Amino acid sequence: MTSRLTRVIAVSMALTATTFGVSGCGSAQAGTVRGGRLTLPVEGGTASVDTATLAVSARAGDGTRLVLSEGARGGLGQPGPVARTADGARWSYPGKGLTVTARSEQGRLAIRVRSDRDQSVSWPVTGTDRAASDVQVPRGEGLDIPVRDAFWNSGRGGLVGSTVDVGADLALPLWGYAMGGDASRGNGARHGVSYVTPTDIGTSLRFASEGGALRATAAHDFDAGDGTRDYEVSFALTDGNPVAPAADYRSYLAQRGQLGSLREKIARNPANGKLLGAFHAYVWGQARTAEGVSRLRKSGVDRMWLGYDAGPDPMDAAAVRAAEQAGYLVGPYDSFANGQDAKTADSPTSTWPGTVYPDFCVRKADGSPETGFGGRGCYLSSRAFEKAEPTEHYLADRTREMTANGADSYFLDVDATGEVFRDHGAGHEMTRAGDRANRLARMGRLAKDFVLGSESAQPWANGVLAFDHGSGTPVADGLWPLERDKATWGGYYPQNAPKNFFKPVTLPADLATAMYDPKYRVPLYETALHGSLVNAERWELSYDKLPAQKTTRALLAMLNNTPLNFVLDGPSIAENGKELAALQKYFAPLHKAAGTEEMTSFRWLTGDRSVQRTVFGDGTLTVTANFGGRAYDGLPGGCVDARLRGEKQPRRLCPAQVNS
């Protein structure tokens, strides 16, 4: 790509001339207000806000005019007078009880809306610029979708007509649009816009097909009880690269001291360094024993994270010692989120001492408990635990029990996901933001002593987590019905090799396209958070679970410098151990070199997007993956080349050739 330097964000985040991001340089001049239009300098040009409607437009440095948002849906009423501020302006919509401030903030246009009453506002309304060519959506690792793509403009992609919770359903609180030609290949002028919503709680994003093109409209619910009476959207002009919105968000986090560093986590707890070069696996049956661990190591696997559930046969101290001697991490699966009656509980992690259940249940406004996942028990209040912990030590005692075998890692399910709760329970009331804060506090305590992971880590947890399982998977709605179909997907039996883990499954064609077609996949999550934590796919989607996607998933993992996730028992180590070892042997040196670096470049090398390239750090690692069926510049289809800095010849992997 021939883009110029992006935004200077921090000493540790200086980007190279081959990188994506925010384009151009903004003027330092003060904004102007004329005829109800506020114009402010932003990096790459100027932005204008219509104070009557909240419509937002921009003029790029090359003179191109861009529509960033139409006016708020449903109207806002007559605006009050506009008052200048030091870096922008303030005005109100008295009929709606809204006060708006708009300002230039570190090269972006920041618009904040405060409401004096509970209500909802639909804004910004995006994707309406005629030049809009692609929309970027952080569903899992990330998608870049041509706005007129027939598949995604139909119901087959599961996007049109859907409304997603920005704080719960998206991996990052952002979306973006690209306009014009293909800047990733140096093809003509190209622009883009990044939308970041720091106030993601209470914010949703609705997708619609209008005139055959995808549009996205945000909405925010202002609710005093939920603490969401404030709403903020940050707009940034970009060079239109498909991962530019995520690069903008990374700089946004860094500027505010909210970007974690895996390198610093390793310095604080050296055991975190074992993640570098490691694949991940949940183990069953003989794979949980010292003998099984020894067989895995003898197969050639020198780095692994091994997890096990809290069932009747966890890994014992001998197995943990064997794993430590092999250079592996070991961690139990646990959850602080579910409580059930001890007499009927279906999981040890749902059983708590005394009257934690039902006293700690999250309560709805009517006093009824918030039913737990899958209709099991109730969700437990993080506030109730935090209040009790100094004297009762429920969480500390649980952790001590779970790691008595010497485990040096911990997987805490759902704590870092976006599903948080408002609790009306007497004595442990909390807002959803409060729930996040409580979860961060307890994860922070765990991270001091363990290599901590959680499910589908939201960026607000990136400072405490070392790894996550789930944010690598762009889950489409059709996955959940498929997983509930036990005849197809498999159930939780037999105990030593549950079919829901081990039974191979063929994804329906539309679901496979929505989740794994490489022409739509882009590394938004890695662009934002690579080098902060290690990201993998969902635990139930092991590498062997989806045979038809194995090559694609292996190429994506190498391209994004992220580990593959496996499930192992005794027979699978014997049958697939050599394949796992070959893949891990290829991955390990690449991840050891670049796992603590940021992803500084992503681009497509062919018009059909079948050949893709990433760069990490200042050229520390360059990876080229060919997802197509024909060779490109000597790289066969279905293969990947990786070159570490200083190496003359790339390292090549063709996953189909090592598949068992």
Side-chain angles (χ1 to χ4, degrees):
M1 177 171 58
T2 58
S3 67
R4 49 208 176 277
L5 284 178
T6 66
R7 179 195 307 276
V8 177
I9 53 179
V11 173
S12 65
M13 297 252 321
L15 302 179
T16 70
T18 61
T19 197
F20 39 68
V22 178
S23 60
C25 297
S27 168
Q29 67 188 27
T32 60
V33 180
R34 292 177 183 169
R37 182 170 294 276
L38 168 67
T39 300
L40 293 167
V42 294
E43 195 146 347
T46 58
S48 297
V49 184
D50 183 342
T51 61
T53 65
L54 277 185
V56 183
S57 59
R59 184 183 178 94
D62 63 1
T64 302
R65 295 186 180 275
L66 308 169
V67 177
L68 308 190
S69 173
E70 289 185 349
R73 290 280 168 88
L76 299 169
Q78 186 68 26
V82 179
R84 292 294 305 274
T85 63
D87 49 8
R90 179 185 297 110
W91 65 97
S92 65
Y93 301 99
K96 297 280 285 186
L98 300 171
T99 301
V100 178
T101 59
R103 57 187 290 228
S104 293
E105 186 176 86
Q106 294 179 305
R108 303 178 182 88
L109 169 65
I111 298 182
R112 297 181 176 90
V113 183
R114 181 169 180 79
S115 176
D116 67 5
R117 65 198 66 169
D118 290 354
Q119 61 180 313
S120 179
V121 171
S122 294
W123 174 87
V125 180
T126 69
T128 63
D129 192 305
R130 291 183 178 180
S133 57
D134 296 78
V135 59
Q136 294 89 38
V137 183
R139 180 191 270 184
E141 182 59 65
L143 301 171
D144 178 279
I145 302 170
V147 296
R148 298 190 178 277
D149 185 276
F151 175 80
W152 290 100
N153 275 275
S154 70
R156 296 165 57 200
L159 197 62
V160 168
S162 70
T163 299
V164 298
D165 184 324
V166 171
D169 300 326
L170 297 183
L172 304 167
L174 61 85
W175 70 101
Y177 275 89
M179 288 91 158
D182 189 350
S184 68
R185 301 187 65 210
N187 181 16
R190 187 173 169 100
H191 299 279
V193 58
S194 163
Y195 304 89
V196 173
T197 56
T199 50
D200 56 325
I201 294 177
T203 301
S204 60
L205 193 62
R206 180 168 180 78
F207 296 92
S209 177
E210 299 181 17
L214 287 171
R215 295 183 178 179
T217 299
H220 185 76
D221 291 329
F222 297 92
D223 188 305
D226 267 344
T228 59
R229 284 281 185 88
D230 291 288
Y231 178 38
E232 178 181 351
V233 180
S234 174
F235 302 77
L237 302 184
T238 75
D239 63 5
N241 183 278
V243 294
D248 173 52
Y249 183 55
R250 184 183 181 97
S251 73
Y252 182 96
L253 292 175
Q255 289 162 353
R256 289 157 179 77
Q258 298 171 1
L259 182 65
S261 165
L262 184 57
R263 189 176 285 112
E264 292 177 2
K265 294 169 188 174
I266 293 170
R268 291 193 297 267
N269 179 4
N272 286 312
K274 293 183 180 180
L275 287 171
L276 298 177
F279 280 173
H280 296 225
Y282 281 93
V283 291
W284 302 82
Q286 189 190 45
R288 293 186 176 188
T289 67
E291 179 185 357
V293 172
S294 177
R295 289 177 62 190
L296 184 62
R297 182 64 186 90
K298 288 179 180 177
S299 72
V301 179
D302 67 355
R303 287 282 178 104
M304 284 294 291
W305 179 90
L306 301 179
Y308 58 93
D309 68 2
D313 188 27
M315 292 185 76
D316 61 20
V320 172
R321 284 195 301 271
E324 182 177 1
Q325 293 169 0
Y328 301 169
L329 288 163
V330 171
Y333 164 94
D334 196 7
S335 174
F336 297 162
N338 188 254
Q340 300 180 42
D341 186 329
K343 297 177 182 178
T344 58
D346 59 9
S347 169
T349 63
S350 298
T351 303
W352 296 89
T355 60
V356 167
Y357 177 84
D359 291 357
F360 284 18
C361 288
V362 171
R363 297 285 170 176
K364 302 176 185 178
D366 63 3
S368 63
E370 188 74 52
T371 303
F373 179 77
R376 302 157 53 245
C378 72
Y379 280 102
L380 297 176
S381 171
S382 62
R383 175 63 176 156
F385 274 124
E386 285 301 289
K387 290 186 67 176
E389 194 62 13
T391 56
E392 300 298 335
H393 316 303
Y394 293 123
L395 303 184
D397 289 347
R398 167 68 75 83
T399 302
R400 191 177 302 110
E401 176 186 354
M402 296 287 283
T403 59
N405 59 1
D408 51 1
S409 183
Y410 213 85
F411 185 84
L412 189 61
D413 198 21
V414 309
D415 252 36
T417 65
E419 187 176 32
V420 289
F421 297 98
R422 181 178 176 185
D423 187 3
H424 296 267
H428 48 82
E429 298 89 347
M430 67 179 178
T431 63
R432 286 186 284 172
D435 193 5
R436 274 190 187 176
N438 296 330
R439 296 179 188 215
L440 275 174
R442 66 195 191 190
M443 286 191 289
R445 294 193 296 268
L446 281 170
K448 292 178 181 179
D449 300 312
F450 300 98
V451 178
L452 182 65
S454 189
E455 178 188 356
S456 300
Q458 292 289 312
W460 50 265
N462 86 85
V464 295
L465 293 179
F467 69 97
D468 88 274
H469 294 161
S471 289
T473 306
V475 173
D477 290 343
L479 181 64
W480 307 132
L482 182 64
E483 291 191 5
R484 289 192 291 268
D485 178 2
K486 298 306 180 186
T488 300
W489 191 263
Y492 284 88
Y493 59 87
Q495 180 177 314
N496 286 342
K499 290 186 177 180
N500 69 316
F501 279 97
F502 288 89
K503 181 183 178 182
V505 169
T506 299
L507 294 178
D510 286 348
L511 185 58
T513 297
M515 292 179 62
Y516 290 111
D517 191 325
K519 69 183 177 185
Y520 302 122
R521 291 286 300 261
V522 292
L524 296 176
Y525 194 88
E526 295 313 309
T527 298
L529 294 177
H530 196 276
S532 175
L533 51 77
V534 175
N535 176 34
E537 287 216 60
R538 291 184 59 81
W539 54 270
E540 78 273 27
L541 295 176
S542 64
Y543 184 59
D544 293 304
K545 184 71 177 179
L546 307 174
Q549 280 74 43
K550 287 182 71 170
T551 292
T552 293
R553 294 172 79 192
L555 295 183
L556 285 169
M558 303 310 158
L559 183 72
N560 297 339
N561 200 229
T562 54
L564 290 168
N565 214 344
F566 289 78
V567 60
L568 300 172
D569 64 351
S572 64
I573 292 176
E575 295 170 10
N576 304 322
K578 290 183 179 179
E579 176 189 14
L580 192 163
L583 293 169
Q584 190 267 337
K585 182 178 180 180
Y586 182 84
F587 174 75
L590 310 181
H591 198 231
K592 289 177 182 177
T596 57
E597 301 281 350
E598 64 176 302
M599 181 185 282
T600 49
S601 179
F602 169 81
R603 57 176 173 157
W604 300 301
L605 301 184
T606 57
D608 63 0
R609 304 185 176 187
S610 65
V611 184
Q612 304 177 12
R613 177 170 292 166
T614 54
V615 179
F616 298 84
D618 187 15
T620 301
L621 172 67
T622 300
V623 185
T624 306
N626 186 348
F627 296 94
R630 61 180 63 179
Y632 172 84
D633 197 23
L635 177 62
C639 298
V640 59
D641 275 353
R643 191 191 302 268
L644 293 170
R645 182 166 43 208
E647 292 184 340
K648 294 183 179 180
Q649 295 296 324
R651 304 162 182 247
R652 178 163 294 174
L653 174 71
C654 299
Q657 296 179 12
V658 298
N659 287 351
S660 299

